[in-house]
Amino acid sequence: MIFVTGAHGSGKTTTYNNLAHNPSVRIVAFDMDSLLAPASALSGKNIQTSPDTWPAYNQLWLGVMQAVSESGFTPVLFTPASPTEIDPHQEHSWILLDCHEDILQERLIARDWGPNEITDALNDALLLRNDVETRIDTSLASPVEVARELVRIIHRL
């Protein structure tokens, strides 16, 4: 199982869109946000704003990833979570999408994020840099280039 992480604004969704819709890639890619609505309906709470639901939501995704893996495919989950949040007792492959803090800040300002949200994202980026060794710099690379590099890394793993 492979997890692609990064702070908000690091390029996860853009890279996912370039990877998931490419029929030449033999992996099964998921965006962790894709089950937010049904999982929220199931739990009766908004998953995004209810931190008490996050451990169960992470376990749901681990189950999906395990099922895909047992079917003989390589599952790749794009998530803002860290290795300690998903499954701290298991060794999984983690890849960090990262960019320079100025670029991250510009991307989040373009999304109309406020100063507190931007500070939180910058702090998340710093924490993820300490937790994940394998990195792809999305600062200046195009989304297609980032997706290609990600596929190269996945094939090496």
Side-chain angles (χ1 to χ4, degrees), residues 9-52:
S10 64
K12 293 183 305 297
T13 300
T14 304
T15 303
Y16 166 78
N17 287 333
N18 277 276
L19 186 65
H21 306 294
N22 183 344
S24 66
V25 177
R26 301 274 311 152
I27 62 174
V28 180
F30 299 98
D31 182 338
M32 192 173 209
D33 291 347
S34 64
L35 294 180
L36 284 173
S40 294
L42 183 64
S43 71
K45 295 180 177 182
N46 182 333
I47 298 289
Q48 285 183 293
T49 59
S50 302
D52 61 311

Side-chain angles (χ1 to χ4, degrees), residues 65-142:
M65 300 284 284
Q66 186 64 40
V68 170
S69 182
E70 289 171 359
S71 296
F73 293 93
T74 301
V76 178
L77 180 64
F78 287 77
T79 175
S82 72
T84 57
E85 292 173 291
I86 295 285
D87 194 2
H89 305 295
Q90 294 293 320
E91 279 291 320
H92 300 296
S93 296
W94 284 82
I95 301 166
L96 175 64
L97 299 184
D98 197 15
C99 62
H100 190 273
E101 288 185 2
D102 291 343
I103 291 172
L104 184 63
Q105 191 167 4
E106 287 174 20
R107 291 175 182 176
L108 297 175
I109 289 170
R111 294 181 183 182
D112 292 325
W113 280 39
N116 292 339
E117 294 169 307
I118 292 172
T119 298
D120 288 345
L122 292 171
N123 288 335
D124 288 345
L126 182 60
L127 292 172
L128 288 168
R129 287 180 196 123
N130 291 326
D131 287 346
V132 180
E133 186 175 317
T134 303
R135 297 180 188 156
I136 299 173
D137 188 346
T138 66
S139 297
L140 301 175
S142 74

